Amino acid sequence: MWGSGTVGRASVSDLEEASLILVVGPVLDKLVAIGKSIAYNSYWSLSFYVYFSMSTAVIEIVLPSDRRELGELSLLNGDGACLAGPFVAYGKADNARAAKNGNRDRDPLIQWGDTPDGTYDVPEIVRTGENTVYVQRSYGPDAMLPIEPVDGPALQAKMNGRTGLYIHSGDLADSGGLRPTYGCVRLSDDDMRSLLEALRLWFCADDFCSIPTHGLRVLIRPPKEVEDA
């Protein structure tokens, strides 16, 4: 029986209601499951989802908790597809400079520490190297990305006075590996150029420094296994 007005036969309105339940029910169940998944995910997964919904491109940087180890940087479009990378990235601060400035443990929440996890905007792209104040040895020959904290530990670090965070390149160490920075994310010169070129093509810009950054976001997070721990 579907209704109270007819005995032994379903009314039209009752059948419509039943059809609605059959069609909408599974959809609602799926939405509830998605909602629960988001609710149970970590801050980083939620930030990742939100930033994709707001952005035309996302630079995702995965840095290990032990910053002596290398991480990865990838450029993703708004659907999460990889446009460039992954590139080897290094988010470790220089031990000597950090200790000299009172941050012996390289605490990312204060100046001279490792690169803070969190979400960032990119206000502009700044030319580096020849005929600039940003020397090639430290910042690379092409350009760098200033990153402005907007959420997570990065924003807390900003409130503590942290400034001057960038994604840049620069000369390699004598060993051939990436050198520590004063708290930025470093790529090799070749990988930085590849990242900039991918951004230029994606945003249809004439050159690196004319890339519009209003649709570009940065997410720095720990590896997935750390998130789930």
Side-chain angles (χ1 to χ4, degrees):
M1 304 295 178
W2 285 102
S4 58
T6 303
V7 177
R9 186 179 66 177
S11 68
V12 173
S13 60
D14 288 335
L15 291 174
E16 289 175 345
E17 181 180 349
S19 299
L20 184 64
I21 292 172
L22 290 173
V23 172
V24 176
V27 175
L28 289 176
D29 289 343
K30 186 174 183 180
L31 289 175
V32 169
I34 292 173
K36 287 181 178 179
S37 175
I38 292 175
Y40 284 118
N41 275 341
S42 67
Y43 163 82
W44 305 115
S45 298
L46 183 56
S47 295
F48 192 68
Y49 170 81
V50 170
Y51 261 57
F52 270 129
S53 68
M54 296 171 56
S55 310
T56 57
V58 174
I59 295 174
E60 183 190 36
I61 306 172
V62 180
L63 296 176
S65 298
D66 183 352
R67 293 300 178 81
R68 294 172 298 179
E69 299 178 6
L70 298 172
E72 289 186 344
L73 180 151
S74 300
L75 176 64
L76 311 171
N77 68 13
D79 295 322
C82 186
L83 301 174
F87 304 115
V88 176
Y90 202 31
K92 177 185 173 296
D94 181 77
N95 289 334
R97 181 56 66 99
K100 181 179 178 180
N101 288 276
N103 190 1
R104 186 175 298 276
D105 294 331
R106 307 192 321 273
D107 181 353
L109 297 183
I110 58 177
Q111 200 74 18
W112 307 103
D114 295 337
T115 314
D117 291 337
T119 49
Y120 299 79
D121 283 335
V122 180
E124 61 180 334
I125 294 180
V126 177
R127 192 161 60 91
T128 62
E130 188 175 357
N131 297 323
T132 75
V133 298
Y134 302 105
V135 297
Q136 179 172 329
R137 180 185 183 280
S138 297
Y139 298 99
D142 299 307
M144 64 180 178
L145 280 62
I147 52 177
E148 180 68 21
V150 296
D151 201 3
L155 182 57
Q156 184 179 348
K158 179 182 178 179
M159 295 173 66
N160 290 340
R162 282 215 74 169
T163 59
L165 296 173
Y166 302 89
I167 300 171
H168 62 76
S169 60
D171 289 359
L172 300 177
D174 292 339
S175 63
L178 296 173
R179 291 186 294 117
T181 67
Y182 297 157
C184 301
V185 174
R186 192 190 295 279
L187 307 180
S188 71
D189 287 345
D190 288 343
D191 286 347
M192 188 70 197
R193 186 175 294 116
S194 295
L195 172 63
L196 290 166
E197 180 62 14
L199 286 168
R200 187 190 69 78
L201 292 173
W202 180 251
F203 287 101
C204 302
D206 293 331
D207 55 55
F208 296 155
C209 292
S210 65
I211 295 170
T213 60
H214 58 272
L216 179 62
R217 303 290 182 267
V218 175
L219 173 64
I220 301 178
R221 65 171 181 84
K224 191 70 169 67
E225 59 268 20
V226 176
E227 295 177 27
D228 295 338

